[in-house]
Amino acid sequence: QLQLVESGGGLVQPGGSLRLSCTASGFTLNNYVIGWFRQAPGKEREEVSIISVGGRVTNYADSVKGRFTISRDNAKSTVYLQMNSLKPEDTAVYYCAARRNWATLKEMSYDYWGQGTQVTVSS
């Protein structure tokens, strides 16, 4: 069964940091463009960041630019989302997704999606 698995979510105070990980079961992430998305309660899913297959090209939503960093370690077949200076408005379920070809950040047509990991930013 082909699936993505996110981990690393949790409860953190405003200003804190978390690192999310995205791994794959049944296939390797190394040949896929990976996107991170999030969905807050009562809101639509929104794009957060995207990284190319080789990791050289990345893109970020304006709301997270300068605070979040996407990276990948193809030796470990893992993609990371380092989240710093977290704000209460970052609270959401975070999803990673995989697709074969590069896309704009707002494109949500992906081949595989994970189940999500909850991130809660609160004092």
Side-chain angles (χ1 to χ4, degrees):
Q1 185 176 359
L2 306 180
Q3 61 181 2
L4 295 176
V5 179
E6 303 94 341
S7 62
L11 173 64
V12 63
Q13 292 187 341
S17 298
L18 284 174
R19 188 177 78 162
L20 305 183
S21 298
C22 175
T23 58
S25 174
F27 69 107
T28 176
L29 292 181
N30 296 359
N31 299 320
Y32 289 83
V33 172
I34 302 299
W36 281 99
F37 298 83
R38 67 186 181 185
Q39 188 165 18
K43 295 188 176 181
E44 293 186 353
R45 189 171 296 186
E46 64 175 358
E47 67 284 357
V48 175
S49 184
I50 187 172
I51 188 166
S52 63
V53 169
R56 292 187 181 92
V57 182
T58 59
N59 203 358
Y60 298 91
D62 288 343
S63 59
V64 306
K65 204 170 292 184
R67 299 187 299 121
F68 290 12
T69 302
I70 192 171
S71 63
R72 67 191 306 157
D73 183 344
N74 283 343
K76 297 182 179 180
S77 193
T78 302
V79 174
Y80 303 100
L81 184 69
Q82 178 67 42
M83 306 186 297
N84 298 329
S85 302
L86 282 161
K87 305 175 181 180
E89 51 264 43
D90 294 318
T91 296
V93 177
Y94 283 71
Y95 301 88
C96 64
R99 58 178 289 143
R100 284 288 191 179
N101 301 312
W102 183 253
T104 62
L105 187 58
K106 290 187 178 296
E107 174 60 58
M108 293 198 180
S109 177
Y110 280 70
D111 298 316
Y112 305 105
W113 287 84
Q115 294 299 307
T117 185
Q118 176 70 47
V119 171
T120 303
V121 185
S122 174
S123 55

